[in-house]
């Protein structure tokens, strides 16, 4: 689109930043205005409409079209070149020297994130038409979905850290509303409170990081911060520990939103929300916000290698920790929830080793196949009348063929079986970790790959294969989901097949490496890290063969134990295995007692400390203050009795006082 941009570029530490043209300004604003309008109209008018989705769903389809157009211009046509574009809508906070604009920022990373958020968001909206068809409050559900989309799009488009933080909190609010949508269920109410409170813990660190950035460089705009903060470090104006501290504070916020250990406890409980919420929030949008924040802040993390080591360690530990829990869970959505934690751990491990493009690549593919798996689980739950326990399923493949085949594709993709999407992105994460000298990350990641394939095919076996354990009263009514639910499954399954090869293979300008090179290369170069594109020869080929072999072993074990071979499961062998390691099995099933530990530390012990502090406050602090006040009041009551209002009494008092003074003087002078 020639003539849209003018060429006054400002040098930044990542790439040049140019002013957006009027067309781009309008389209970027529409990405925010439309979902907010959809939320308001659905909230006001939705109750009165026979089809409450009639406002919310078309709105998000239009948003997806706009985002796809902008992304196409940036990624395929190269309309922006190596530049980011930005514009200021208005001055948001003018307060003396503290001036924060409402500015939007668009580069290739923004384009990739917009594609993921709007594509998955649109499919979830369409899917929800069928899934929520019989819910009396579905008008409220669609309003909340639009509010969430507005919040997430603002987070991705924001051009400064404070605007990101505002969107960050709006995402938290809208997820709170969606997780607790069925507020008549106590478990849902407790889950949304848990999510809200745990995220606030991470947000405290994020807020402190933003304050530290402001006090250090006096600005919060991305292009200025990424230029000034590394320059201040190189010139000795700030010390290394300050840069590391800022990055770790930002990472605290990322740990909360992306549910990394130890702030992971909210995400499995968030499965209490409707299944479309799980797909939207916990597959492709909200939980990816932390990954996006660290990736966006790559120029800062590139100058804080100590912080990157911690990011890698937390990520890979979360990956194996969550995978170990997913092995034994019975709730189909909780298996996928812990799988999400594990895959997010892969992404943070990739960020920590410096493989930032690989991390975003896995973010994209994970959003596709995990969205497919969550929506597929919702289709299963819908088909078996709201049952989520896999022990009460089985042999569903014939009655739900579309759900079965699409979920099988998703399971193969997340397991890393070629040529599906997860194979390309997961192997690139592990390969980059090995080649960059982080063999320990690679080794743990390989173990996680084995566990992932096993628990996913355990899920498939217990759900679709073996003998049926469905309630006999429900069995005759099992049915495939309506088209509004199966069409999104088919589309996501197709993407799970082709997206990895399209984005990962070196086929020219259409690869994700070519797209993100302008964003990450300067920071990688300054950190001394060189990401290598995907290859199939040499060390890459050996690593690929090992990864695929491990995934195949996990898949075959799942097949063997949970009903694939000859249509029979092997419960005796499963019981024998669990009997050999009862403590490990129980620990995994009880989520390594983390909820109990939190209850002990923060509810019971914290309650005792709080009650003790309250007693000290009431009886000591308040007692001292009240005691002084009471003594003053009593003294005043006694002294007040002297004030009779009779002149003769006052004269008598004066006379007595003079006599006392005179006697005192005489006594002192005669000694």
């Amino acid at each position: 689109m020639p003539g849209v941009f003018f060429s006054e570029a400002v040098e930044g530490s990542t790439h040049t930043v140019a002013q957006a043209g009027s067309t781009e300004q309008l389209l970027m604003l529409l990405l925010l205005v439309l979902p907010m309008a959809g939320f308001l109209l659905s909230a006001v008018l939705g109750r009165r409409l026979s089809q409450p989705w009639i406002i919310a769903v078309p709105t998000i389809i239009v948003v997806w079209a706009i985002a796809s157009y902008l992304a196409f211009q940036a990624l395929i046509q190269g309309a922006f070149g190596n530049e980011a574009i930005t514009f200021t809508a208005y001055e948001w906070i003018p307060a003396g020297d503290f001036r924060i604009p409402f500015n939007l920022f668009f580069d290739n990373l923004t384009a990739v994130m917009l594609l993921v958020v709007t594509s998955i968001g649109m499919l979830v909206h369409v899917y929800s038409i069928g899934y929520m068809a019989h819910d009396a409050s579905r008008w409220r559900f669609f309003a909340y979905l639009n509010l969430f989309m507005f919040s997430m799009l603002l987070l991705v488009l924001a051009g400064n850290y404070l605007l990101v933080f505002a969107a960050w909190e709006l995402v938290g609010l809208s997820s709170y509303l969606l997780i607790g949508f069925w507020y008549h269920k106590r478990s849902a109410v407790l889950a949304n409170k848990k999510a809200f409170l745990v995220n606030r813990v991470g947000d405290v660190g994020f807020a402190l990081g933003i304050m530290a950035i402001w006090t250090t460089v006096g600005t919060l705009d991305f292009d200025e911060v990424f230029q000034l903060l590394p320059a201040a470090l190189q010139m000795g104006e700030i010390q290394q520990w300050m840069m590391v501290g800022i990055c770790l504070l930002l990472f605290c916020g990322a740990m909360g939103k992306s549910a990394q250990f130890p702030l992971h406890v909210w995400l499995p409980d968030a499965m209490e929300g409707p299944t479309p919420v799980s797909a939207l929030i916990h597959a492709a949008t909200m939980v990816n916000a932390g990954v996006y924040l660290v990736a966006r802040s790559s120029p800062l993390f590139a100058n804080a290698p100590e912080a990157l080591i911690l990011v890698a360690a937390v990520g890979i530990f979360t990956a194996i920790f969550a995978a170990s829990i997913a092995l034994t869970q019975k709730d189909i959505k909780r298996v996928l929830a812990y799988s999400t934690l594990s895959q997010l751990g892969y992404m943070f491990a990739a960020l920590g080793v410096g493989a930032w493009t690989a991390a975003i690549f896995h973010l994209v593919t994970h959003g596709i196949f995990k969205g497919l798996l969550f929506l597929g689980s919702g289709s299963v739950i819908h088909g078996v009348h709201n049952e989520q326990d896999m022990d009460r399923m089985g042999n569903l493949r014939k009655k739900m063929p579309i759900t079965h085949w699409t979920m099988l594709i998703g399971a193969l993709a997340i397991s890393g079986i070629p040529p599906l999407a997860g194979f390309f992105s997961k192997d690139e994460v592990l390969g980059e970790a090995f080649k960059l000298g982080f063999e320990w990350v690679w080794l743990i990641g390989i173990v996680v790959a084995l566990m992932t394939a096993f628990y996913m095919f355990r899920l498939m076996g217990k759900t679709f294969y073996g003998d049926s354990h469905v309630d006999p009263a429900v069995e005759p009514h099992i049915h495939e989901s309506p088209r509004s639910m199966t069409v999104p499954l088919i589309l996501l399954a197709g993407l799970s097949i082709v997206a990895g090869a399209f984005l990962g293979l070196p086929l020219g300008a259409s690869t994700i490496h070519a797209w993100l090179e302008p964003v990450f290369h300067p920071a990688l170069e300054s950190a001394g890290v060189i990401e290598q594109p995907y290859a199939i020869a040499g060390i890459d080929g050996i690593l690929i063969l090992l990864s695929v072999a491990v995934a195949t072993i996990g898949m075959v074990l799942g097949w063997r134990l949970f009903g694939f071979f000859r249509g029979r499961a092997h419960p005796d062998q499963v019981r024998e295995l669990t009997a050999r390691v009862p403590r490990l099995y129980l620990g995994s099933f009880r989520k390594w007692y983390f909820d109990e530990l939190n209850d002990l530390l923060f509810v019971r012990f914290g309650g005792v400390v709080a009650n003790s502090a309250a007693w000290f406050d009431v009886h000591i602090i308040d007692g001292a203050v009240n005691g002084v006040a009471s003594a003053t009041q009593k003294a005043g009551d006694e002294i007040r009795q002297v004030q009779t209002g009779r002149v003769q009494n006052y004269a008598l008092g004066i006379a007595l006082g003079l006599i006392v003074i005179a006697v005192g003087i005489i006594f002192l002078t005669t000694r």
Side-chain angles (χ1 to χ4, degrees), residues 335-421:
V335 173
L336 296 177
Y338 282 106
S339 172
T340 297
L341 289 176
S342 184
Q343 297 302 308
L344 288 167
Y346 267 138
M347 297 175 210
F348 278 104
L351 292 170
V353 304
W356 293 326
T357 300
I360 299 301
F361 186 15
H362 197 55
L363 181 152
V364 173
T365 60
H366 175 261
I368 294 170
F369 58 68
K370 186 53 66 64
L372 167 61
L373 289 167
F374 266 119
L375 294 182
S377 72
S379 180
V380 170
I381 294 166
H382 182 270
V384 295
H385 291 233
N386 299 319
E387 181 59 68
Q388 295 184 202
D389 189 342
M390 294 186 297
D391 286 344
R392 298 181 181 179
M393 299 179 187
N395 199 29
L396 297 178
R397 67 186 187 280
K398 293 180 180 178
K399 294 187 177 181
M400 306 184 70
I402 297 176
T403 302
H404 160 246
W405 285 111
T406 54
M407 282 196 73
L408 180 59
I409 291 170
L412 290 168
I414 194 174
S415 300
I417 303 300
L420 281 76

Side-chain angles (χ1 to χ4, degrees), residues 173-223:
L173 171 64
S174 50
S175 66
Y176 169 86
L177 295 172
L178 286 167
I179 293 168
F181 175 75
W182 287 322
Y183 56 83
H184 56 276
K185 293 171 56 179
R186 176 172 171 78
S187 57
V189 173
L190 294 177
N192 70 353
K193 289 181 179 178
K194 187 175 185 179
F196 196 81
L197 291 173
V198 172
N199 272 276
R200 298 294 76 72
V201 175
D203 293 352
V204 170
F206 189 11
L208 291 174
I210 292 172
M211 296 176 196
I213 291 173
W214 170 263
T215 56
T216 304
V217 295
T219 182
L220 295 176
D221 283 359
F222 287 151
D223 52 332

